Structures are given as C-alpha cells and as structure tokens.
C-alpha cells in the first residue's frame, strides 16, 4: 500500500506557538562599536583577498535562510574544530527580550559542525560585507576551512570564545529547558 506524502499546513495553532513581537530591546550588554569598526573590519577581511578572489561566508543559523547579501553560490560545508552552540547570551535585545532573555547561535571551540558556505557577489562586496557585519555581534569574523563536495574553501565565520564579552558557555538541553521555542526579540527567535 502506498501512502501519499504528508502535506504540511500553516495553521493558527502553529502561528500561536511563535513568540510575540517585542519592541522593547532591553539593556545593552556591550557598547556599540564606533562606526569605523565596521569599515575597518571589512577592509581587514577584504585586504586578505585579491580583487577577484571569492569571499565565502559560513552560515550555521539564520544566515542560511536570511543571508542579508547577494549570494552567487551556495555549498554544503563541514568545519572541523568548531561546533554550533547557543553561546551568545543571555540576550535581551536581538533574540530575546527583558521578560524572556534568549540566546544566539555561534561557533564555539571543539568538535565539528556542518553549515552552508555562501559566496558573496564580488561587485559591491565592501558595502555588502560592512552591512552584514552591522547585523552580527561585534566580534570580528575569523577564517575557517570549510570542506565542500566541490573542494575546500576558506570562509569567514563569527566564532565566540570566553574572551569575548558576549560569550557564555552554552547551556545543556536540561538547563535551556526548551526555551528556544519561547525566545523572541526584535531580531527574531
């Protein structure tokens, strides 16, 4: 007996599970970097590339479905030495709010993870990179080696570590208590 594929439907019950939009952003945990920070960081990254060399960006979370820049190519990728972790937080501005602090996904040392590497369009990439940096935590991206089916590429990635002011070791599943489905802030959930 063959069965037809199950169809997913957006229902009011599913919509009701989404966090409500919260306009209050909560206190700032780290000072906003000076405007030149973004320009300098973008310039430092691009200075490591030739004018026609590709700039790859590793996405492990919301950048996958919301890259915030023109993507020329996407590839599945594996990265050794880093794993995905909710190690930015508690956050009350972007992924949380004062009533329900949330956590943001980043790379933390150790292990391995998979994600998507995306090649940024070469034309206008200085402006696009700066705009991307302004949407990320104020941590200069680092280079990672990403293995793809088409070969290895060097990509920039936001990685956190204990020396970064926003870092907090990721909670265990029991400590997090399933809060991810309740986290919600100005930047989403």
């Amino acid at each position: 007996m063959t069965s037809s594929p199950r169809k997913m439907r957006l229902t009011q019950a599913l919509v009701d599970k989404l966090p409500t939009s919260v306009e209050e952003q909560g206190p700032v945990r780290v000072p906003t970097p000076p405007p030149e920070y973004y320009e300098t960081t973008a310039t430092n990254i691009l200075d490591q590339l030739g004018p026609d060399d590709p700039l790859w960006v590793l996405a492990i979370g919301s950048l996958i479905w919301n890259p915030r820049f023109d993507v020329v190519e996407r590839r599945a990728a594996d990265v050794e030495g880093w794993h995905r972790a909710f190690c930015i937080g508690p956050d009350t501005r972007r992924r949380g709010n004062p009533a329900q602090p949330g956590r943001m996904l980043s790379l933390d040392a150790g292990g391995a993870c998979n994600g998507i590497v995306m090649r940024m369009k070469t034309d206008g990439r200085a402006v696009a990179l700066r705009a991307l940096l302004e949407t990320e935590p104020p941590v200069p991206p680092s280079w990672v080696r990403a293995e793809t089916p088409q070969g290895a590429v060097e990509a920039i990635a936001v990685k956190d570590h204990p020396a970064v002011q926003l870092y907090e070791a990721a909670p265990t599943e029991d400590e997090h208590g399933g809060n991810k489905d309740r986290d919600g802030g100005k930047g989403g959930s």
Side-chain angles (χ1 to χ4, degrees), residues 72-181:
V72 176
E73 181 181 358
R74 295 173 159 262
R75 297 181 187 177
D78 295 314
V79 175
E80 293 290 327
W82 299 93
H83 66 280
R84 274 188 296 262
F86 286 100
C87 60
I88 298 177
D91 174 58
T92 60
R93 294 183 65 75
R94 303 269 308 143
R95 294 291 193 259
N97 62 70
Q100 183 67 49
R103 294 182 154 276
M104 292 173 62
L105 195 60
S106 187
L107 290 179
D108 203 357
C113 74
N114 55 22
I116 302 292
V117 286
M118 297 178 286
R119 185 164 52 97
M120 187 179 281
K121 182 178 170 183
T122 304
D123 292 340
R125 71 180 174 183
V127 172
L129 178 56
R130 180 182 173 169
L132 174 63
L133 293 171
E134 289 176 357
T135 67
E136 294 295 315
V139 178
S142 300
W143 293 96
V144 297
R145 180 178 177 85
E147 298 291 339
T148 79
Q150 297 86 357
V153 300
E154 296 295 317
I156 60 168
V158 174
K159 302 186 297 192
D160 266 346
H161 51 81
V164 173
Q165 205 170 4
L166 296 170
Y167 178 89
E168 183 174 292
T172 65
E173 191 66 33
D174 288 340
E175 290 170 333
H176 199 229
N179 281 351
K180 197 70 207 124
D181 64 346

